[in-house]
Amino acid sequence: MDKKFKIRKDDTVQVIAGKDKGKRGTVVSVLPKKDAVIVSGVNIVKKAMKKKSQQDQGGIAEIEAPLNISNVAIVCKKCGPTKIGYKIDGDKKVRVCRKCGDVL
């Protein structure tokens, strides 16, 4: 059974724990099997890359490493980092900010 996360791709999130605490970015991908998310510009690590072809450069590349999903909080436009609640809007289920009730 797949895990259901409240944070999705293209959400703006803020890191609330770890070495990049306070940084904001958009979610590039969600990894449900690892309980992790990859956020653009956050948790940058250096990785040794092998040269694959004549044109392809090898060497040390900087890539974004996954962060545990518990270390990020979604950012509401009005009130900043917040938790997510759900509301039934007609026949649709929408995500809302727990602080101000705004649709995310």
Side-chain angles (χ1 to χ4, degrees):
M1 193 171 127
D2 251 0
K3 292 179 187 153
K4 187 79 172 145
F5 294 123
K6 295 178 179 183
I7 293 173
R8 298 187 195 141
K9 188 178 176 184
D10 296 327
D11 282 343
T12 303
V13 293
Q14 181 170 334
V15 180
I16 55 173
K19 67 172 185 174
D20 292 320
K21 184 176 178 179
K23 285 189 181 177
R24 287 186 184 189
T26 56
V27 176
V28 176
S29 66
V30 179
L31 311 167
K33 288 181 180 171
K34 292 184 176 180
D35 291 349
V37 288
I38 296 176
V39 183
S40 62
V42 176
N43 200 21
I44 302 288
V45 294
K46 291 181 187 288
K47 184 176 179 185
M49 301 295 265
K50 208 175 230 183
K51 189 175 177 182
K52 287 191 171 75
S53 65
Q54 291 287 79
Q55 293 85 27
D56 188 36
Q57 287 280 331
I60 296 166
E62 291 190 348
I63 60 161
E64 291 130 358
L67 277 166
N68 194 295
I69 202 152
S70 65
N71 294 338
V72 294
I74 195 158
V75 177
C76 175
K77 288 173 182 71
K78 285 185 187 173
C79 37
T82 184
K83 291 186 177 180
I84 303 172
Y86 287 101
K87 265 190 188 154
I88 306 296
D89 187 33
D91 59 340
K92 285 187 178 174
K93 186 176 173 183
V94 292
R95 299 182 303 161
V96 293
C97 170
R98 287 260 186 94
K99 289 181 184 174
C100 64
D102 227 26
V103 175
L104 294 169

